[in-house]
Amino acid sequence: MKSTIWALLVSTFISTVALAQQISYDDRHRISVTGESLINVAPDRIIVTFGVDTRDLVLAAAKQQNDTIMKKALAAIKAMNIPDRDIQTDKISIEQRFDTNGRGGQVFAGYTVRNMFVVTLSDPLKVETLISNALDAGVNYLLNVEFQTTDLKRYREQARELAVRAAKEKADKMAVALGESVGQAIQINEDSRYTPVSYYSSWSGGSWGSSNRNNTGMSQNSVGVSGGEAVDTIALGKVGVRASVSVVFELNRR
């Protein structure tokens, strides 16, 4: 009796596996392609991060210098009619500094007081004036300039749709070269391995602790993007919203 039951279970298992293999196997002739797109849109939100670094052997003196620069910078920024809600200040940080002496030991070199504040703009034309005013007030670090669009979801959807169209056009052209035609889509995946939003700017900030305390230099800076056929250069002054998809189409033989 036990042998009969065991044989029945084994037979059922084999039948189930065979049926699953038949269901999962797809012998349709197919073609796999990728499609990419880039939409250049004007930024409507710019986030600028500044830093104030002051140093002195006396803590009170270093802090006083920092407070003076901060007050002067914030006054200059508010004079641009930027509302208080768009200006955010960070907590102040204080560090001791040590230098190495000739005997390999360390000697106290004073205090470093750092303050950071962030300004949010809605007009890209004000960015240069904002940075110039802050630097003129004594700010010695331009830490970051980030350009954004508040309507990112809509532009991402547009970019995704264009990427799908690009994939279909590529598949059609490749199929024609083979003397075949493209059928329905079998599978589609979105590639999210790279950041979909990037910006090309002439402003390049520095990090805390650089040997150059007036780290306000400018250099050309562009965001790298993964390879593909539709990787165009991001227009200066525009936010680049990208999309990439891979699609598997059924290929019909003529």
Side-chain angles (χ1 to χ4, degrees), residues 16-59:
T16 302
V17 170
L19 179 61
Q21 289 177 343
Q22 292 176 1
I23 294 175
S24 61
Y25 179 68
D26 188 347
D27 62 351
R28 285 178 290 180
H29 199 40
R30 65 189 65 196
I31 181 172
S32 300
V33 295
T34 59
E36 296 188 0
S37 67
L38 167 66
I39 297 178
N40 288 316
V41 300
D44 58 7
R45 181 169 59 196
I46 306 93
I47 302 175
V48 187
T49 306
F50 297 100
V52 178
D53 180 309
T54 53
R55 305 179 183 190
D56 199 283
L57 286 172
V58 180
L59 176 58

Side-chain angles (χ1 to χ4, degrees), residues 38 40 229-234 242:
L38 167 66
N40 288 316
E229 68 171 29
V231 183
D232 299 325
T233 301
I234 301 171
R242 297 181 182 274

Side-chain angles (χ1 to χ4, degrees), residues 1-8:
M1 183 66 179
K2 291 183 179 180
S3 298
T4 303
I5 295 175
W6 175 251
L8 180 60

Side-chain angles (χ1 to χ4, degrees), residues 62-79:
K63 189 176 183 307
Q64 179 60 45
Q65 294 172 24
N66 201 291
D67 291 342
T68 300
I69 294 174
M70 284 289 295
K71 290 179 181 178
K72 186 177 179 181
L74 294 177
I77 293 170
K78 291 179 180 179

Side-chain angles (χ1 to χ4, degrees), residues 7-226:
L8 180 60
L9 290 174
V10 171
S11 177
T12 302
F13 174 76
I14 294 175
S15 299
T16 302
V17 170
L19 179 61
Q21 289 177 343
Q22 292 176 1
I23 294 175
S24 61
Y25 179 68
D26 188 347
D27 62 351
R28 285 178 290 180
H29 199 40
R30 65 189 65 196
I31 181 172
S32 300
V33 295
T34 59
E36 296 188 0
S37 67
L38 167 66
I39 297 178
N40 288 316
V41 300
D44 58 7
R45 181 169 59 196
I46 306 93
I47 302 175
V48 187
T49 306
F50 297 100
V52 178
D53 180 309
T54 53
R55 305 179 183 190
D56 199 283
L57 286 172
V58 180
L59 176 58
K63 189 176 183 307
Q64 179 60 45
Q65 294 172 24
N66 201 291
D67 291 342
T68 300
I69 294 174
M70 284 289 295
K71 290 179 181 178
K72 186 177 179 181
L74 294 177
I77 293 170
K78 291 179 180 179
M80 297 176 58
N81 296 321
I82 298 176
D84 291 342
R85 67 176 181 274
D86 292 335
I87 305 173
Q88 298 180 340
T89 57
D90 197 12
K91 293 182 180 179
I92 192 171
S93 67
I94 300 174
E95 299 177 5
Q96 290 183 329
R97 292 183 293 109
F98 294 89
D99 291 336
T100 302
N101 59 23
R103 298 183 298 275
Q106 290 187 328
V107 294
F108 177 70
Y111 294 92
T112 298
V113 178
R114 289 176 176 148
N115 225 322
M116 185 175 71
F117 63 97
V118 180
V119 182
T120 302
L121 298 174
S122 58
D123 184 0
L125 298 178
K126 290 184 177 181
V127 174
E128 186 171 353
T129 301
L130 169 68
I131 294 175
S132 297
N133 289 349
L135 301 184
D136 289 342
V139 173
N140 47 11
Y141 279 90
L142 172 58
L143 295 174
N144 190 43
V145 182
E146 181 180 359
F147 295 81
Q148 301 177 350
T149 172
T150 56
D151 204 3
L152 180 59
K153 181 179 179 181
R154 178 167 66 92
Y155 292 122
R156 274 181 174 169
E157 291 174 351
Q158 291 180 9
R160 191 179 297 117
E161 181 179 346
L162 291 174
V164 172
R165 291 181 183 178
K168 180 62 165 57
E169 291 175 1
K170 181 193 291 186
D172 286 337
K173 292 180 180 179
M174 293 174 67
V176 168
L178 297 172
E180 303 184 2
S181 63
V182 173
Q184 65 180 359
I186 299 174
Q187 182 179 352
I188 181 169
N189 294 299
E190 183 176 14
D191 186 356
S192 57
R193 288 178 297 176
Y194 59 80
T195 304
V197 181
S198 48
Y199 185 83
Y200 183 72
S201 172
S202 62
W203 293 106
S204 177
S207 59
W208 290 111
S210 169
S211 58
N212 178 14
R213 289 183 56 191
N214 290 320
N215 200 340
T216 55
M218 294 173 286
S219 63
Q220 293 298 333
N221 178 35
S222 86
V223 180
V225 187
S226 65

